[in-house]
Amino acid sequence: MSEKATLEFNGQKYDFPIVHGTEKEIAINISSLRAVTGGVTTIDPGFKNTGSCESAITFLDGEKGILRYRGYSIEELAAKADFLEVAFLLIFGELPTDEQLSKFHEDIKENSIVDDDIRKILDAFPKSAHPMGVLSSLTSALTAFNPGSVNVESEEDMYNSVVKLLGKLPVLVAWTMRKKQGLPLDYGDEDLGFVENVLKMMFKQPNKAYVQNPIIVNALNKLLILHADHEQNCSTSTVRIVGSSHAGLFASISSGISALWGPLHGGANQAVLEMLEAIKEDGGDTKKYMAKAKDKSDPFRLMGFGHRVYKNFDPRAKIIKVAADEVLNDLGVEDPILDIAKGLEREALADPYFVQRKLYPNVDFYSGIIYRAMGIPVDMFTVMFALGRLPGWIGQWREMRLRKEPIGRPRQIYSGETARSFSSSKR
Ligand code: ACO
């Protein structure tokens, strides 16, 4: 007898097949539910219990604090890999050979020129515009400058689009920051590694040579790897669902950037720093803010705490915490914000409210502290996250199209007015 799950509804029994993942995950395949029951559907706000797809890219176990890209542990990748190796792995499924990696890097550099007319679009934004809005718009605008649609079945076509995106997005990231700071825009340096080039494009002053700091290069490489994929989170699900309508890759990535912007998702790294600043301005009383976070009549939440899937600890937070200490020690940064962060962390980890709800510091609790030490402005933090997440979004988009997934179109349970007749008030 094959394994099945049985649903009993209104005296009738319905059997559904079971799907097993390679990591022993178990799911009930309810794709025939409406057909066999004559229209009964499920409801699961926030998709807390719903698997939207099968995927072979990232595995995470929120209870055990495990995160792996294509089977490789995040700890090993963060310690040993380059961001571009990880990008290749996520998108194409295997680590690149030395030859593939150097070609990948060459092709990315070759494709890093952004049409000069994009500068005109950038110029039209007010300096006050949030960099995430600017980045999402410019990424969408790239579609107009690279109009051919990607034939996902063609390895060559897909590869060309990947190197275009990985070449151009760092330029857009740097331009977005430099425009706000009134600095001249730059196309980077052919001779540099990917991460070094990103840093130089962002920070080079027009009247000075840019000197690379290996501690910062190493920390940014790690941060980009830690953020590179995280299975079906809000922005990745957005990229997959937009792409499922066969919208183009650039347009799908642009929508992912918008989804990432929100403070409950990628925007949390900015929100964490703003929260820490606000606590400092208010006298540094962490206990007062702990009480606010626990008060159900107060909308305040401790930003950087809690995660939809990690209910034990966020493995990325562990790695990043060590990296933050290294960067701050090596750069000799003494930051009162850090003391506030450490105080909040200590109190939250010992507080029954946080312990019972399994609310631990997430990756964004520490990433902002490192970005700040690197001299990255607070409103650019989520942009750095987007740069890291780019390979994950591309890999997930590609997988979704190659698996020929149907258009994403959830059901609803209508709870509005029933039929009523119209009579115009104008008559
Ligand atoms: N501060 C205070 N209370 C919290 C927090 C928090 N940061 N997070 C969750 N809770 C409480 C909720 O009020 C709720 O309490 P209740 O059971 O008494 O009603 C309980 O913990 C469960 O919270 P939910 O919102 O149901 O958990 P969910 O899985 O839907 O949300 C989320 C996860 C959005 C990350 C949430 O923990 C949060 O808002 N955290 C702060 C924002 C943040 O750091 N986001 C970054 C996530 S990481 C990323 O996107 C890369």
Side-chain angles (χ1 to χ4, degrees):
M1 263 247 329
S2 64
E3 206 185 5
K4 63 185 186 194
T6 305
L7 169 76
E8 190 168 341
F9 174 69
N10 275 353
Q12 285 269 3
K13 284 188 175 172
Y14 305 95
D15 292 338
F16 298 97
I18 302 294
V19 176
H20 289 273
T22 51
E23 289 283 357
K24 302 191 179 63
E25 288 168 306
I26 301 172
I28 303 166
N29 179 344
I30 55 150
S31 53
S32 63
L33 178 68
R34 283 177 49 80
V36 296
T37 57
V40 175
T41 191
T42 56
I43 187 156
D44 183 19
F47 311 123
K48 289 191 178 192
N49 303 279
T50 300
S52 61
C53 60
E54 286 187 45
S55 177
I57 301 177
T58 288
F59 171 70
L60 72 84
D61 181 328
E63 302 300 327
K64 296 191 185 133
I66 293 173
L67 173 62
R68 293 188 205 123
Y69 299 160
R70 305 272 190 194
Y72 297 100
S73 79
I74 193 65
E75 289 79 9
E76 212 177 353
L77 291 172
K80 299 182 192 162
D82 279 346
F83 175 63
L84 284 191
E85 268 178 300
V86 172
F88 193 98
L89 171 73
L90 284 168
I91 299 168
F92 299 112
E94 293 296 339
L95 284 167
T97 59
D98 289 349
E99 208 177 309
Q100 282 172 323
L101 183 61
S102 73
K103 177 169 167 20
F104 193 44
H105 192 199
E106 284 310 311
D107 292 335
I108 287 168
K109 286 194 269 192
E110 205 49 42
N111 280 280
S112 63
I113 300 299
V114 172
D115 194 299
D116 224 40
D117 280 348
I118 294 261
R119 282 173 187 255
K120 295 183 192 150
I121 302 176
L122 179 64
D123 275 342
F125 281 97
K127 274 201 174 137
S128 59
H130 193 284
M132 282 299 274
V134 176
L135 186 71
S136 160
S137 307
L138 295 184
T139 306
S140 186
L142 280 180
T143 316
F145 293 85
N146 301 271
S149 63
V150 189
N151 174 7
V152 72
E153 307 280 352
S154 152
E155 292 251 328
E156 191 190 344
D157 226 26
M158 192 64 220
Y159 181 85
N160 290 339
S161 299
V162 170
V163 292
K164 265 186 199 163
L165 265 172
L166 281 164
K168 295 178 202 312
L169 204 87
V171 179
L172 299 185
V173 164
W175 282 8
T176 301
M177 185 179 111
R178 293 179 79 90
K179 150 91 186 183
K180 255 183 115 81
Q181 297 180 337
L183 288 170
L185 307 185
D186 196 75
Y187 281 98
D189 189 334
E190 268 259 303
D191 299 329
L192 293 175
F194 184 87
V195 173
E196 289 86 341
N197 195 31
V198 169
L199 287 165
K200 184 173 172 195
M201 280 195 293
M202 289 175 79
F203 292 116
K204 161 107 181 54
Q205 296 294 313
N207 54 349
K208 281 189 203 144
Y210 181 74
V211 182
Q212 298 284 346
N213 179 336
I215 294 154
I216 291 187
V217 173
N218 179 38
L220 183 56
N221 183 58
K222 251 188 199 132
L223 280 162
L224 295 177
I225 291 174
L226 292 178
H227 285 100
D229 196 47
H230 212 234
E231 53 117 299
Q232 307 312 316
N233 56 82
C234 176
S235 58
T236 302
S237 299
T238 301
V239 169
R240 281 183 90 121
I241 209 163
V242 171
S244 77
S245 75
H246 294 197
L249 177 60
F250 290 19
S252 305
I253 299 294
S254 161
S255 66
I257 296 171
S258 297
L260 188 72
W261 189 357
L264 297 189
H265 189 15
N269 54 16
Q270 171 173 350
V272 168
L273 240 287
E274 285 169 352
M275 173 189 79
L276 295 173
E277 288 280 5
I279 298 176
K280 188 182 109 195
E281 291 304 307
D282 195 23
D285 183 357
T286 48
K287 292 204 166 51
K288 174 173 165 189
Y289 284 84
M290 287 290 292
K292 273 167 77 65
K294 294 187 282 182
D295 178 357
K296 293 289 167 200
S297 63
D298 188 326
F300 175 79
R301 278 190 166 196
L302 209 53
M303 299 314 287
F305 274 78
H307 197 277
R308 171 58 62 79
V309 286
Y310 291 124
K311 301 298 179 194
N312 182 336
F313 65 92
D314 180 340
R316 302 166 303 170
K318 265 193 165 178
I319 299 170
I320 219 166
K321 189 179 178 193
V322 175
D325 282 341
E326 276 167 18
V327 169
L328 295 170
N329 285 338
D330 288 336
L331 298 181
V333 175
E334 282 190 24
D335 192 342
I337 290 291
L338 194 64
D339 296 332
I340 294 174
K342 284 185 173 158
L344 278 179
E345 185 190 9
R346 211 171 26 248
E347 283 164 41
L349 292 178
D351 190 302
Y353 174 97
F354 285 85
V355 174
Q356 277 155 17
R357 288 170 181 76
K358 300 187 171 168
L359 302 170
Y360 294 88
N362 57 49
V363 66
D364 289 324
F365 190 66
Y366 305 105
S367 62
I369 292 167
I370 308 193
Y371 288 139
R372 182 176 148 107
M374 287 177 179
I376 296 174
V378 176
D379 60 4
M380 283 293 293
F381 290 0
T382 317
V383 168
M384 302 312 291
F385 187 160
L387 181 60
R389 185 53 56 88
L390 181 63
W393 287 332
I394 301 173
Q396 298 271 355
W397 187 94
R398 176 171 183 256
E399 180 182 70
M400 176 275 306
R401 290 292 309 275
L402 285 177
R403 285 179 185 244
K404 300 199 182 339
E405 284 179 13
I407 184 167
R409 203 305 186 185
R411 290 277 168 173
Q412 63 164 19
I413 305 300
Y414 177 69
S415 60
E417 297 287 348
T418 52
R420 47 183 168 168
S421 50
F422 172 76
S423 71
S424 174
S425 54
K426 291 186 194 129
R427 238 173 271 139

